[in-house]
Every structure is written in structure tokens, then in C-alpha cells.
Amino acid sequence: MKKHEPRELTEYRESESSTGVRPTYDSMSSDLHEYVLSKLVEEQGGLCAYCMCRIPETDKKTGSTLKCTIEHIEPQSLTRGTENLKKELEYSNFLAVCSGNENRGALCCDKSRGNKKLFLTPLNPECNHLIQYSLSGKIQAAETIPDKEDRKELDYELNDILNLNDGKDLKAKRKSALDGMLSVLQKQHKDQDVEECRRKLRELETPRGQKVEYVGILIFWLKKHIQHLESRG
């Protein structure tokens, strides 16, 4: 995920030299906060950085919009009073995340995480190689990770810290997204066409606009299926 810091945020972070007042995340104007958040959402293809739901979310019962927020990869509570103090205003330390199911049931994403440190973040280039999905929609540490303790730690983050399986019926939603894609491919008799599967994979990995909701499980399945088709010759 490429991150291009908005000029307005850079100017705000460097404003102390002219104002004499140290800028902080909490003292950002609401306009600047919303602008930075909108840029993050745009860069992320309109998906929560953790669970990959569409953001901002729409409450299906009321039709109301559930507010998305800015998440600090390195929590503010762990950088204040340290040499990493300025990370609270570094764009590279920001992610756009969903409502976290706040006030609606089991918490997930940043609302479940709190201030705990993460071994794996969405900005880690190895992220997609370290996780896998089951056909039931479950996300878990990849079986290809050689160290058992590393797999255990990653599963702990996915389940206990971010609650990416039980929160918000996420397993069912991922399964529904996968079933929908498979239904289309099978209906068009293209699920056994390796070139068509490759085309679909490219479409999902480099979308022209917003990303498909829960795209992670779709990409994982297609890569695995393409390998299977290629192995058959």
C-alpha cells in the first residue's frame, strides 16, 4: 500500500517552527482530520485496513452511517514522551479503520486492539504471505510459516487482539464474498480456465476504483486455485 502524505498534514506537523506551539494529533482541526481520513480511505480502496469491510459502513437496520476512524499503527500511548513522539502525526503511521463494531456487539479491529503492539500490520509487505483463509471464511496464520511459535503469535493477534474471526460475523461475510465470486466463475464455466482466473486475480489486485469488500480471501483462493490448475498442466 503506497502512502502519499497530504501537504496539509506536513505543514501542520512542521508548524511549531512558526507558531511556537507543538502540534499534536488531538489538537488537529476537525477539517484536517477528516481530510486526512478521506485520503487514507481512498488509498485503501475504501476498505478497513484490518477486516476489509467497506468504510464508512452503513447500518443495514437503520441505514445510518457508522463513522470510520484513523488508527495509529504505533499507539500514541507508546510514543508520547519518547523519541518517537512525532509518530502521532506521521502519515506513514496512520490507517483508516472501521467502527470496530463499537456499541453493537463483540469488538474487532482497532476497538478490540486497544494499545497493544502488533507483530504484523497491513503495511508489512509480507502480510499477505503470512495469512491464509479457509473456505468457511476463517483467517489464520499461514501453515507455511516455519516457526510454530510465530504462527501461534500471529493467530493470537488475529483472534484475541483484533478479533477478526468472531467480531461482526466476519467469517460469514468472507465466506459470502467467496461464494459469490465462485458462483459467478462457475456459472460462466470459467473456474477451470486458468487465463480467466489470472485475469480475475489481476482485476482484484489492481482495481481501477474501490476494492472489492473482503478482497483478501478472494485473492488467496484465486492464487491457490491457479496453482492447482497449473499443476494439472
Side-chain angles (χ1 to χ4, degrees):
M1 182 193 305
K2 294 183 179 179
K3 298 178 76 66
H4 303 285
E5 179 164 297
R7 173 181 52 82
E8 293 85 348
L9 179 62
T10 304
E11 293 176 348
Y12 173 68
R13 191 176 61 245
E14 298 174 352
S15 65
E16 183 175 6
S17 59
S18 59
T19 64
V21 178
R22 186 181 75 81
T24 67
Y25 178 79
D26 291 337
S27 62
M28 284 173 63
S29 70
S30 58
D31 286 346
L32 178 56
H33 183 280
E34 291 304 310
Y35 178 68
V36 171
L37 178 57
S38 70
K39 298 301 290 184
L40 289 167
V41 172
E42 180 181 348
E43 286 185 355
Q44 293 171 200
L47 301 183
C48 170
Y50 290 137
C51 73
M52 296 190 182
C53 77
R54 175 74 56 218
I55 54 175
E57 304 158 273
T58 300
D59 187 320
K60 291 184 178 180
K61 292 183 179 180
T62 66
S64 61
T65 299
L66 303 177
K67 186 175 176 59
C68 53
T69 59
I70 294 176
E71 158 82 325
H72 287 76
I73 300 171
E74 289 194 39
Q76 296 177 77
S77 62
L78 301 182
T79 58
R80 285 174 178 158
T82 73
E83 61 183 12
N84 291 324
L85 174 66
K86 291 186 176 181
K87 276 204 170 284
E88 69 172 292
L89 283 174
E90 286 185 5
Y91 193 69
S92 60
N93 193 40
F94 292 169
L95 295 171
V97 294
C98 69
S99 66
N101 214 35
E102 190 171 27
N103 300 318
R104 299 169 59 80
L107 299 178
C108 65
C109 302
D110 76 307
K111 291 297 187 295
S112 174
R113 174 197 176 189
N115 294 322
K116 299 180 182 73
K117 279 193 172 183
L118 293 176
F119 164 72
L120 182 65
T121 77
L123 296 183
N124 186 325
E126 296 299 312
C127 183
N128 292 333
H129 302 293
L130 297 177
I131 58 176
Q132 66 183 46
Y133 299 87
S134 69
L135 290 175
S136 69
K138 182 179 180 180
I139 185 174
Q140 59 195 62
E143 295 175 354
T144 53
I145 298 175
D147 191 292
K148 183 178 179 180
E149 288 304 310
D150 285 346
R151 293 199 303 273
K152 183 177 179 181
E153 175 63 24
L154 183 50
D155 276 330
Y156 174 73
E157 290 190 1
L158 295 172
N159 290 294
D160 296 88
I161 296 182
L162 296 172
N163 197 23
L164 294 182
N165 280 312
D166 294 329
K168 271 194 322 190
D169 296 321
L170 287 170
K171 281 191 295 186
K173 290 174 179 176
R174 292 190 201 104
K175 183 179 186 303
S176 177
L178 179 58
D179 289 346
M181 182 184 75
L182 294 181
S183 176
V184 172
L185 286 174
Q186 291 167 356
K187 186 176 182 179
Q188 298 174 349
H189 304 291
K190 293 180 178 179
D191 59 309
Q192 299 304 309
D193 184 333
V194 68
E195 287 305 321
E196 178 60 24
C197 288
R198 287 173 181 155
R199 185 201 65 76
K200 183 62 178 178
L201 178 61
R202 289 193 299 270
E203 177 186 298
L204 293 173
E205 289 186 318
T206 56
R208 294 182 179 180
Q210 290 194 326
K211 294 181 179 179
V212 175
E213 203 170 19
Y214 308 112
V215 67
I217 191 172
L218 308 184
I219 289 174
F220 175 81
W221 185 89
L222 279 168
K223 286 183 175 180
K224 189 174 181 179
H225 186 61
I226 289 170
Q227 289 178 344
H228 171 69
L229 293 177
E230 290 175 337
S231 68
R232 295 192 318 185

